């Protein structure tokens, strides 16, 4: 049974959370004004100050989003557009000015789904075991956060680009300005995220406005090539407007559209775009020449990302999750792969594009399994490899691949699929939101989790991803050794684990789609 904490004074007013003896927690704290009315589709504004003590014992609303039957999520909170809230967990001995390292989580969900209040991301285990301050938060999703309406701005109504990314920057600015009052060190902040959250981590590395807001970064399964230009962003916007029956000259009326109608249109476009253009997502960060000056992979290859140490990696069987759920978000059929190649060739005729069958022949197994492996590499491993290679010229990079699978995931034939590493990082294996241990395997899985948590926390606290005593050292990645930590029942370090992939794909062909 938790007791109430003493009120903590933030820059906007006092907040009071709970203390369960192991950790203290504060939930649902506003980091920005409610993005309603005229603030819809605009950059976040600071919240108004409050004087009464704010009850921070319950999560705030999660961003409005569609329900995807094959991707059911427990968001941990009701939906509501007043969603720009964050949550803090701290060890029980934390006190103002205590200077503990801070880990700020960016949740995934294809830029359309998810929240910082999902039970999987409960920070109790991570903060309690690691002596770190843990922060999770919501950012605007789907059309509310990643619909690029900036080309429709007029003298009467302007629309900001990359709204969801601007939310992330506002949350990090709140951490910089307020986390010391919760026991954290604002000069020792590590951002970490998975899937779309890792895409945002990489976007932040490419964002000059993010400089100084964090000193280390962790990107788990980043779809880093799913960042597009303004022309593609405008086409998606026009498609969504058509769904709503709104003409290009009437875009200002989007501020009056109901959440229900906007979410329904978001869902339609979210489903249609990857079917029409395999390998692409509808709602993503945009290279706007302002917040994002260029594609992150290109900036990495030129050594121009923010020079902070980076852990980056993927799961061995990423695309298997999308196959299991029959999701169109990745090209997991031969027809989708071929269509994607044809579109790349049409869009970028100067590329030396290997024939799809030639690339496929470099993969072992039956035809369908080869296609799933190709999808994993197109969506996740190739961008990760390019980022590691480029960024290692300006900062320490630690590359990993997560290979471990419990009996359940082996039975389902998904093995180390997309997102299966999450409960290991958070230390929430077997919790109410996790099915990982339904068929056993707890002893080995718990050991894997302990090693991952230790490495992630040591990276955040000391700058080196050291494992528990007696475990392997994790060498930095460079183009000579190409070291990769393979996380499995027993961790190993392999050199040039991606040699086959590099040879099969040859020149970079999909990084700037």
């Amino acid at each position: 049974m938790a007791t109430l904490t003493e009120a903590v004074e933030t820059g906007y007013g006092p907040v009071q959370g709970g203390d369960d003896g192991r950790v203290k927690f504060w939930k649902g704290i506003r980091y920005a004004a409610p993005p309603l009315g005229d603030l819809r589709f605009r950059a976040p504004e600071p919240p108004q100050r409050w004087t009464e003590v704010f009850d921070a014992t319950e999560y705030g609303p999660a961003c409005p989003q569609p329900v995807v039957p094959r991707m059911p999520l427990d968001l941990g909170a009701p939906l509501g557009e007043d969603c720009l809230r964050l949550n803090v967990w701290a060890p029980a001995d934390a006190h103002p000015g205590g200077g503990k390292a801070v880990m700020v989580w960016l949740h995934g969900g294809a830029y359309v789904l998810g929240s910082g209040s999902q039970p999987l991301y409960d920070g109790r285990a991570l903060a309690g075991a690691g002596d770190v301050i843990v922060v999770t938060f919501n950012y605007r999703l789907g059309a509310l956060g990643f619909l690029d309406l900036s080309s429709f701005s007029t003298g009467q109504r302007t629309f900001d680009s990359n709204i969801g990314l601007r939310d992330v920057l506002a949350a990090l600015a709140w951490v910089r300005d307020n986390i010391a009052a919760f026991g954290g060190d604002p000069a020792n902040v590590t951002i970490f995220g998975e899937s779309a959250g890792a895409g945002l981590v990489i976007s932040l590395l490419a964002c000059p406005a993010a400089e100084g807001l964090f000193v280390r970064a962790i990107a788990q399964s980043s779809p880093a090539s799913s960042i597009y230009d303004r022309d593609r962003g405008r086409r998606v916007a026009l498609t969504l407007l058509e769904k709503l029956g709104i003409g290009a000259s009437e875009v200002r009326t989007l501020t009056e559209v109901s959440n229900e109608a906007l979410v329904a249109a978001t869902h339609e476009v979210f489903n249609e775009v990857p079917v029409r253009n395999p390998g692409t997502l509808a709602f993503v960060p945009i290279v706007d020449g302002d917040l994002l000056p260029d594609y992150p992979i290109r900036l990495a290859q030129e050594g121009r990302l923010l020079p902070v140490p980076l852990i980056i990696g993927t799961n061995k069987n990423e695309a298997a999750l999308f196959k299991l759920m029959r999701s169109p978000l990745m090209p997991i059929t031969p027809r989708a792969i071929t269509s994607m190649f044809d579109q790349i060739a049409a869009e970028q005729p100067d590329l030396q594009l290997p024939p799809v069958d030639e690339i496929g022949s470099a993969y072992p197994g039956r035809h369908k399994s080869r296609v799933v492996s190709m999808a994993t590499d197109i969506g996740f491993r190739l961008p990760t490899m390019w980022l590691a290679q480029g960024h290692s010229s300006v900062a320490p990079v630690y590359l990993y691949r997560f290979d471990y699978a419990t009996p359940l995931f082996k039975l389902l034939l998904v093995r180390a699929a997309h997102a299966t590493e999450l409960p290991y990082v958070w230390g929430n294996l077997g919790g109410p939101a996790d099915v990982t241990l339904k068929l056993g395997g707890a002893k080995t899985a718990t050991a894997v989790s302990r090693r991952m948590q230790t490495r992630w926390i040591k990276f955040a606290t000391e700058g080196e991803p050291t494992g528990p005593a007696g475990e392997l050292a994790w060498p930095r990645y460079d183009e000579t050794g190409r070291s990769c930590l393979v996380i499995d029942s027993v961790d190993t370090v392999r050199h040039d684990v991606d040699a086959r992939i590099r040879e099969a794909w040859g020149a970079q062909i999909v990084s700037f789609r």
Side-chain angles (χ1 to χ4, degrees):
M1 187 71 179
T3 59
L4 293 177
T5 65
E6 294 183 5
V8 174
E9 191 65 44
T10 74
Y12 301 108
V15 299
Q16 186 173 49
D19 184 341
D20 65 8
R22 184 183 184 190
V23 298
K24 301 173 186 176
F25 57 87
W26 299 263
K27 299 177 179 179
I29 303 172
R30 290 188 190 279
Y31 69 85
L36 309 174
D38 193 52
L39 289 183
R40 187 189 264 186
F41 306 114
R42 298 293 299 272
E45 296 284 345
Q48 291 186 349
R49 282 194 56 82
W50 60 86
T51 55
E52 297 292 325
V53 176
F54 177 78
D55 180 0
T57 58
E58 301 289 340
Y59 290 116
C63 182
Q65 58 193 268
V67 175
V68 180
R70 290 176 179 154
M71 294 185 186
L73 292 178
D74 180 356
L75 299 174
L79 300 179
E81 203 167 343
D82 181 12
C83 62
L84 299 184
R85 314 291 188 97
L86 55 75
N87 318 296
V88 180
W89 287 265
D93 66 350
H95 57 85
K100 294 183 185 293
V102 183
M103 299 181 71
V104 180
W105 176 250
L106 285 69
H107 72 79
Y111 300 105
V112 168
L113 307 170
S115 75
S117 54
Q118 290 173 238
L120 185 58
Y121 309 141
D122 185 297
R124 186 174 185 269
L126 197 59
D131 200 35
V132 291
I133 308 295
V134 176
V135 179
T136 69
F137 65 95
N138 301 331
Y139 52 90
R140 280 173 282 182
L141 300 167
L144 290 169
F146 295 95
L147 184 70
D148 186 30
L149 298 171
S150 57
S151 64
F152 297 94
S153 293
T154 66
Q156 289 73 42
R157 179 60 160 88
T158 58
F159 297 96
D160 295 312
S161 60
N162 286 314
I163 301 161
L165 183 57
R166 294 179 193 274
D167 290 343
V168 175
L169 287 167
L172 290 172
W174 185 97
V175 169
R176 176 197 62 201
D177 297 339
N178 295 281
I179 205 64
F182 298 83
D185 180 358
N188 191 12
V189 174
T190 296
I191 57 173
F192 68 131
E194 183 267 346
S195 195
L200 289 169
V201 167
I202 299 303
S203 297
L204 289 168
L205 290 174
C207 179
E211 187 171 7
L213 292 176
F214 56 93
V215 295
R216 283 175 287 277
I218 302 173
Q220 302 168 205
S221 304
S222 172
S225 56
S226 295
I227 294 172
Y228 307 141
D229 60 25
R230 300 186 81 161
D231 287 343
R232 191 186 292 267
R234 182 179 172 87
R235 292 200 297 272
V236 170
L238 287 169
T239 300
L240 184 128
L241 290 171
E242 183 180 352
K243 300 285 184 190
L244 294 168
I246 295 174
S249 63
E250 303 169 316
V251 176
R252 65 185 183 282
T253 62
L254 266 178
T255 59
E256 302 164 11
V257 172
S258 70
N259 271 324
E260 293 75 16
L262 194 59
V263 167
T266 294
H267 196 191
E268 287 187 56
V269 177
F270 175 68
N271 286 332
E272 289 176 7
V273 165
V275 173
R276 188 169 62 244
N277 302 109
T280 65
L281 298 175
F283 303 98
V284 296
I286 295 293
V287 175
D288 57 7
D290 174 19
L291 208 61
L292 274 182
D294 206 339
Y295 298 97
I297 292 175
R298 179 177 290 156
L299 293 174
Q301 292 177 327
E302 296 172 356
R304 293 167 54 205
L305 296 179
L306 296 179
V308 305
L310 173 68
I311 288 176
I312 188 167
T314 65
N315 297 354
K316 185 177 182 180
N317 313 106
E318 297 276 3
L321 175 71
F322 301 91
K323 180 183 178 183
L324 176 70
M325 294 186 168
R326 301 177 185 175
S327 168
L329 292 182
M330 291 192 72
I332 52 174
T333 65
R335 176 179 294 180
I337 288 279
T338 301
S339 175
M340 188 193 73
F341 268 61
D342 291 343
Q343 290 182 29
I344 293 172
E347 292 172 0
Q348 305 180 58
D350 294 336
L351 287 173
Q352 300 296 313
L353 191 63
V356 63
D357 290 340
E358 181 181 314
I359 292 176
S361 66
Y363 286 79
R366 300 171 64 182
H367 185 55
K368 288 184 178 180
S369 67
R370 292 202 302 269
V371 168
V372 175
S373 296
M374 289 171 67
T376 289
D377 292 341
I378 292 167
F380 299 101
R381 193 64 189 183
L382 282 165
T384 290
M385 187 178 69
W386 296 326
L387 284 161
Q389 186 170 301
H391 195 57
S392 63
S393 68
V394 297
V397 171
Y398 301 90
L399 179 67
Y400 76 87
R401 193 181 72 193
F402 182 81
D403 285 20
Y404 183 68
T406 58
L408 173 65
F409 291 138
K410 290 178 181 177
L411 179 67
L412 293 174
L413 302 180
V414 297
R415 297 186 178 271
H418 190 64
T420 56
E421 91 287 2
L422 287 172
Y424 297 86
V425 170
W426 283 91
N428 292 327
L429 281 164
D434 179 49
V435 300
T436 305
L437 303 179
K438 290 296 184 183
L439 293 183
K443 183 177 179 180
T444 303
T446 300
V448 172
S449 177
R450 184 174 68 91
R451 295 198 303 272
M452 286 193 78
Q453 277 197 296
T454 301
R455 293 188 188 278
W456 266 229
I457 290 166
K458 286 287 189 181
F459 182 69
T461 55
E462 301 173 10
E464 297 278 349
T466 310
E471 288 296 329
L472 279 173
W474 186 351
R476 294 181 181 181
Y477 179 94
D478 59 46
E479 287 196 60
T480 301
R482 300 184 187 272
S483 298
C484 177
L485 180 72
V486 177
I487 300 170
D488 208 331
S489 54
V490 176
D491 293 348
T492 56
V493 172
R494 294 175 58 181
H495 298 283
D496 206 4
V497 71
D498 300 309
R500 177 184 53 78
I501 297 172
R502 290 189 296 106
E503 292 166 5
W505 289 89
Q508 179 175 303
I509 63 168
V510 294
S511 63
F512 306 136
R513 291 205 68 206

